mmCIF file of all heavy atoms in Angstrom:
data_model
loop_
_atom_site.group_PDB
_atom_site.id
_atom_site.type_symbol
_atom_site.label_atom_id
_atom_site.label_comp_id
_atom_site.label_asym_id
_atom_site.label_seq_id
_atom_site.Cartn_x
_atom_site.Cartn_y
_atom_site.Cartn_z
ATOM 1 N N GLU A 335 -38.462 23.793 -2.148
ATOM 2 C CA GLU A 335 -38.870 23.530 -0.786
ATOM 3 C C GLU A 335 -39.187 22.052 -0.656
ATOM 4 O O GLU A 335 -39.983 21.491 -1.419
ATOM 5 C CB GLU A 335 -40.090 24.361 -0.405
ATOM 6 C CG GLU A 335 -40.504 24.085 1.079
ATOM 7 C CD GLU A 335 -41.365 25.209 1.658
ATOM 8 O OE1 GLU A 335 -41.719 26.161 0.949
ATOM 9 O OE2 GLU A 335 -41.669 25.123 2.877
ATOM 10 N N GLY A 336 -38.581 21.431 0.305
ATOM 11 C CA GLY A 336 -38.783 19.984 0.508
ATOM 12 C C GLY A 336 -39.420 19.709 1.884
ATOM 13 O O GLY A 336 -39.130 20.393 2.851
ATOM 14 N N TRP A 337 -40.349 18.745 1.921
ATOM 15 C CA TRP A 337 -40.946 18.322 3.143
ATOM 16 C C TRP A 337 -40.680 16.841 3.344
ATOM 17 O O TRP A 337 -40.902 16.040 2.430
ATOM 18 C CB TRP A 337 -42.473 18.507 3.142
ATOM 19 C CG TRP A 337 -42.943 19.920 3.178
ATOM 20 C CD1 TRP A 337 -43.231 20.662 4.275
ATOM 21 C CD2 TRP A 337 -43.238 20.770 2.043
ATOM 22 N NE1 TRP A 337 -43.636 21.927 3.912
ATOM 23 C CE2 TRP A 337 -43.633 21.997 2.560
ATOM 24 C CE3 TRP A 337 -43.095 20.594 0.660
ATOM 25 C CZ2 TRP A 337 -43.976 23.083 1.685
ATOM 26 C CZ3 TRP A 337 -43.427 21.625 -0.158
ATOM 27 C CH2 TRP A 337 -43.866 22.873 0.355
ATOM 28 N N ASP A 338 -40.190 16.490 4.514
ATOM 29 C CA ASP A 338 -40.013 15.094 4.825
ATOM 30 C C ASP A 338 -40.763 14.769 6.079
ATOM 31 O O ASP A 338 -40.718 15.537 7.070
ATOM 32 C CB ASP A 338 -38.497 14.822 5.077
ATOM 33 C CG ASP A 338 -37.748 14.796 3.827
ATOM 34 O OD1 ASP A 338 -37.664 13.744 3.156
ATOM 35 O OD2 ASP A 338 -37.143 15.813 3.440
ATOM 36 N N ASN A 339 -41.451 13.666 6.045
ATOM 37 C CA ASN A 339 -42.083 13.137 7.261
ATOM 38 C C ASN A 339 -41.476 11.771 7.553
ATOM 39 O O ASN A 339 -41.562 10.879 6.714
ATOM 40 C CB ASN A 339 -43.575 13.010 7.147
ATOM 41 C CG ASN A 339 -44.169 12.316 8.317
ATOM 42 O OD1 ASN A 339 -44.328 12.913 9.386
ATOM 43 N ND2 ASN A 339 -44.481 11.045 8.182
ATOM 44 N N ILE A 340 -40.835 11.637 8.707
ATOM 45 C CA ILE A 340 -40.167 10.338 8.978
ATOM 46 C C ILE A 340 -40.906 9.732 10.195
ATOM 47 O O ILE A 340 -41.004 10.356 11.264
ATOM 48 C CB ILE A 340 -38.678 10.574 9.339
ATOM 49 C CG1 ILE A 340 -38.072 11.572 8.321
ATOM 50 C CG2 ILE A 340 -37.924 9.259 9.331
ATOM 51 C CD1 ILE A 340 -36.733 12.162 8.808
ATOM 52 N N ASP A 341 -41.432 8.532 10.013
ATOM 53 C CA ASP A 341 -42.083 7.822 11.076
ATOM 54 C C ASP A 341 -41.065 6.862 11.694
ATOM 55 O O ASP A 341 -40.708 5.843 11.059
ATOM 56 C CB ASP A 341 -43.307 7.059 10.553
ATOM 57 C CG ASP A 341 -44.436 8.035 10.300
ATOM 58 O OD1 ASP A 341 -44.982 8.576 11.256
ATOM 59 O OD2 ASP A 341 -44.744 8.284 9.105
ATOM 60 N N ILE A 342 -40.600 7.171 12.909
ATOM 61 C CA ILE A 342 -39.600 6.313 13.527
ATOM 62 C C ILE A 342 -40.190 5.572 14.702
ATOM 63 O O ILE A 342 -41.285 5.926 15.205
ATOM 64 C CB ILE A 342 -38.319 7.093 13.904
ATOM 65 C CG1 ILE A 342 -38.598 8.158 14.967
ATOM 66 C CG2 ILE A 342 -37.691 7.702 12.709
ATOM 67 C CD1 ILE A 342 -37.318 8.753 15.582
ATOM 68 N N VAL A 343 -39.499 4.567 15.155
ATOM 69 C CA VAL A 343 -40.014 3.682 16.211
ATOM 70 C C VAL A 343 -38.894 3.524 17.289
ATOM 71 O O VAL A 343 -37.746 3.283 16.944
ATOM 72 C CB VAL A 343 -40.369 2.310 15.645
ATOM 73 C CG1 VAL A 343 -40.971 1.430 16.753
ATOM 74 C CG2 VAL A 343 -41.286 2.425 14.490
ATOM 75 N N GLY A 344 -39.306 3.704 18.553
ATOM 76 C CA GLY A 344 -38.330 3.578 19.647
ATOM 77 C C GLY A 344 -38.630 2.426 20.594
ATOM 78 O O GLY A 344 -39.431 1.543 20.287
ATOM 79 N N TRP A 345 -38.025 2.486 21.711
ATOM 80 C CA TRP A 345 -38.102 1.495 22.841
ATOM 81 C C TRP A 345 -39.538 0.975 22.956
ATOM 82 O O TRP A 345 -40.453 1.768 23.010
ATOM 83 C CB TRP A 345 -37.654 2.288 24.083
ATOM 84 C CG TRP A 345 -37.515 1.606 25.366
ATOM 85 C CD1 TRP A 345 -38.293 1.780 26.488
ATOM 86 C CD2 TRP A 345 -36.493 0.671 25.739
ATOM 87 N NE1 TRP A 345 -37.814 1.014 27.514
ATOM 88 C CE2 TRP A 345 -36.713 0.300 27.100
ATOM 89 C CE3 TRP A 345 -35.430 0.041 25.063
ATOM 90 C CZ2 TRP A 345 -35.899 -0.605 27.762
ATOM 91 C CZ3 TRP A 345 -34.632 -0.842 25.709
ATOM 92 C CH2 TRP A 345 -34.868 -1.141 27.064
ATOM 93 N N MET A 346 -39.692 -0.296 22.984
ATOM 94 C CA MET A 346 -40.982 -0.964 23.142
ATOM 95 C C MET A 346 -41.975 -0.678 21.996
ATOM 96 O O MET A 346 -43.194 -0.742 22.151
ATOM 97 C CB MET A 346 -41.643 -0.619 24.510
ATOM 98 C CG MET A 346 -40.828 -0.925 25.708
ATOM 99 S SD MET A 346 -40.483 -2.649 25.831
ATOM 100 C CE MET A 346 -38.722 -2.739 25.700
ATOM 101 N N GLY A 347 -41.394 -0.241 20.886
ATOM 102 C CA GLY A 347 -42.237 -0.042 19.700
ATOM 103 C C GLY A 347 -43.033 1.254 19.684
ATOM 104 O O GLY A 347 -43.966 1.407 18.894
ATOM 105 N N TYR A 348 -42.641 2.223 20.536
ATOM 106 C CA TYR A 348 -43.419 3.488 20.590
ATOM 107 C C TYR A 348 -43.070 4.379 19.385
ATOM 108 O O TYR A 348 -41.895 4.620 19.079
ATOM 109 C CB TYR A 348 -43.147 4.228 21.906
ATOM 110 C CG TYR A 348 -44.071 3.743 22.976
ATOM 111 C CD1 TYR A 348 -43.816 2.500 23.584
ATOM 112 C CD2 TYR A 348 -45.190 4.426 23.365
ATOM 113 C CE1 TYR A 348 -44.662 1.973 24.560
ATOM 114 C CE2 TYR A 348 -46.048 3.926 24.336
ATOM 115 C CZ TYR A 348 -45.802 2.717 24.918
ATOM 116 O OH TYR A 348 -46.655 2.226 25.831
ATOM 117 N N PRO A 349 -44.108 4.861 18.651
ATOM 118 C CA PRO A 349 -43.851 5.618 17.430
ATOM 119 C C PRO A 349 -43.516 7.089 17.700
ATOM 120 O O PRO A 349 -44.018 7.689 18.704
ATOM 121 C CB PRO A 349 -45.181 5.517 16.648
ATOM 122 C CG PRO A 349 -46.230 5.306 17.730
ATOM 123 C CD PRO A 349 -45.539 4.591 18.856
ATOM 124 N N MET A 350 -42.705 7.677 16.889
ATOM 125 C CA MET A 350 -42.357 9.108 16.947
ATOM 126 C C MET A 350 -42.281 9.648 15.535
ATOM 127 O O MET A 350 -42.212 8.807 14.582
ATOM 128 C CB MET A 350 -40.975 9.269 17.616
ATOM 129 C CG MET A 350 -40.946 8.880 19.065
ATOM 130 S SD MET A 350 -39.238 8.858 19.686
ATOM 131 C CE MET A 350 -38.786 7.153 19.402
#
Side-chain angles (χ1 to χ4, degrees):
E335 179 159 7
W337 290 269
D338 285 275
N339 173 76
I340 316 163
D341 285 290
I342 63 169
V343 183
W345 186 246
M346 303 297 118
Y348 276 75
M350 294 171 267

